[in-house]
Amino acid sequence: MSQKIGVVGAGTMGNGIAQVFAMKGFEVVLADVNDAALVKGMANINISLQRMAKKELIAEANIPGIVAHIRSTTKLADLAGCDVVIEAATENAAVKEQIFRDLDAAVGEKCILASNTSSISLTRIASWVSHPERVVGMHFMNPVPVMQLVEIIRALQTGDEAYQTVFHLSQALGKTPVTVKDAAGFVSNRVLMPMINEAAFALHENLATAEDIDTVMKLGMNHPIGPLALADLIGLDTCLSIMDILYHEFRDSKYRACPLLAQLVQAGHLGRKSGKGFYSYN
């Protein structure tokens, strides 16, 4: 079992991934482009752990030891000794391509390169590196410490060793891995994002208020959270990006992003992280 894990990106997904590995005793190197992002990421890990301690999911006395398992850096070269590196940067193909090309030069050829991408083709990502058989998708759900699912996506090039390694790593974290073919959106976002987009259309067409649309889905379909509130939690920019990828990859108008969703993103109303999306937040 791999012991040293690299995570690229200290945002919501990256710091959550780093946290769950550290909680299981793995040594983690968390990388981002600047110190401010790393400071914020480590602060959010501490907040998450404190929240778990208040719920008696972990002992508060264990928090310093968990945090001590995570080392932060702005240099990808510091990931050289990792057995597995998980990319968790923004959902932008150009950004990810640069990261994978840099990782290809920074880490050993035996290091498995996983991506937490929620919609971009793993086959495409694998084409950016030498030894593409070591590239595999490891798609965690948000919030990572809470959600049990990990989608494992095999690129056309993914070898058995890379696949088996991340599958068993997911199990070691206490997660449930599900194997999915490489297609835009995989299963999770192929189903979820069109639902969120349709909820946005319902609001855009004034069928009901945001609260009532979400209530219909919570009480009528037994969803724990409504689609518009969930979109705010995910980030409206991420939702729009995924819809655009689905539209581009499948060339099917059913994946056309709702104009309201695009307009909110243009206004900088990205959901919880910006303080306003479909709802307003303090």
Side-chain angles (χ1 to χ4, degrees):
M1 179 62 66
S2 301
Q3 294 300 315
K4 191 171 183 181
I5 306 296
V7 180
V8 180
T12 300
M13 297 304 294
N15 69 60
I17 293 167
Q19 177 185 326
V20 296
F21 274 104
M23 288 174 65
K24 292 295 184 179
F26 290 88
E27 295 301 318
V28 181
V29 181
L30 178 61
D32 210 310
V33 292
N34 59 63
D35 289 322
L38 291 167
V39 169
K40 183 178 180 181
M42 292 303 297
N44 285 334
I45 289 171
N46 274 286
I47 291 169
S48 175
L49 291 170
Q50 291 289 345
R51 189 181 299 121
M52 294 181 78
K54 287 182 180 179
K55 295 179 180 179
E56 299 183 344
L57 298 173
I58 61 171
E60 188 169 2
N62 292 341
I63 292 177
I66 294 170
V67 173
H69 281 295
I70 305 172
R71 179 167 70 93
S72 60
T73 182
T74 57
K75 300 176 182 178
L76 288 185
D78 289 338
L79 301 173
C82 292
D83 301 294
V84 176
V85 174
I86 303 166
E87 171 274 317
T90 185
E91 194 67 0
N92 178 291
V95 171
K96 290 186 187 296
E97 179 174 2
Q98 188 61 57
I99 289 171
F100 272 87
R101 292 193 184 279
D102 290 344
L103 282 173
D104 194 35
V107 303
E109 63 182 46
K110 297 294 185 181
C111 177
I112 292 169
L113 301 177
S115 177
N116 184 59
T117 180
S118 54
S119 58
I120 297 171
S121 166
L122 267 300
T123 298
R124 181 183 181 191
I125 291 174
S127 73
W128 298 331
V129 305
S130 58
H131 305 286
E133 69 278 359
R134 60 181 170 158
V135 174
V136 63
M138 198 176 187
H139 181 211
F140 291 83
M141 304 295 122
N142 184 28
V144 180
V146 176
M147 303 299 282
Q148 293 300 302
L149 175 67
V150 180
E151 281 185 310
I152 308 297
I153 304 100
R154 294 192 71 145
L156 188 66
Q157 307 96 315
T158 300
D160 289 339
E161 182 180 354
Y163 166 75
Q164 291 292 343
T165 297
V166 297
F167 191 93
H168 293 306
L169 267 180
S170 302
Q171 292 177 320
L173 296 176
K175 305 295 188 186
T176 301
V178 174
T179 304
V180 179
K181 288 183 179 180
D182 184 26
F186 316 127
V187 170
S188 56
N189 284 318
R190 176 82 172 268
V191 175
L192 173 63
M193 286 303 159
M195 182 186 73
I196 287 175
N197 195 53
E198 201 61 35
F201 268 115
L203 181 64
H204 183 55
E205 296 167 11
N206 295 314
L207 297 185
T209 64
E211 293 85 352
D212 285 348
I213 291 166
D214 279 353
T215 298
V216 167
M217 298 305 292
K218 287 190 291 183
L219 301 187
M221 286 64 184
N222 203 29
H223 291 190
I225 184 172
L228 299 177
L230 179 57
D232 278 353
L233 178 64
I234 294 168
L236 302 193
D237 51 341
T238 300
C239 294
L240 178 61
S241 175
I242 295 170
M243 287 306 302
D244 286 345
I245 289 169
L246 291 172
Y247 182 72
H248 173 76
E249 291 295 326
F250 293 115
R251 294 172 172 80
D252 190 327
S253 61
K254 73 179 180 180
Y255 297 113
R256 177 176 66 93
C258 173
L260 176 60
L261 177 61
Q263 191 173 42
L264 288 171
V265 172
Q266 289 169 352
H269 299 162
L270 308 181
R272 287 183 178 270
K273 61 186 173 185
S274 70
K276 188 173 184 180
F278 290 114
Y279 296 92
S280 294
Y281 303 89
N282 293 327

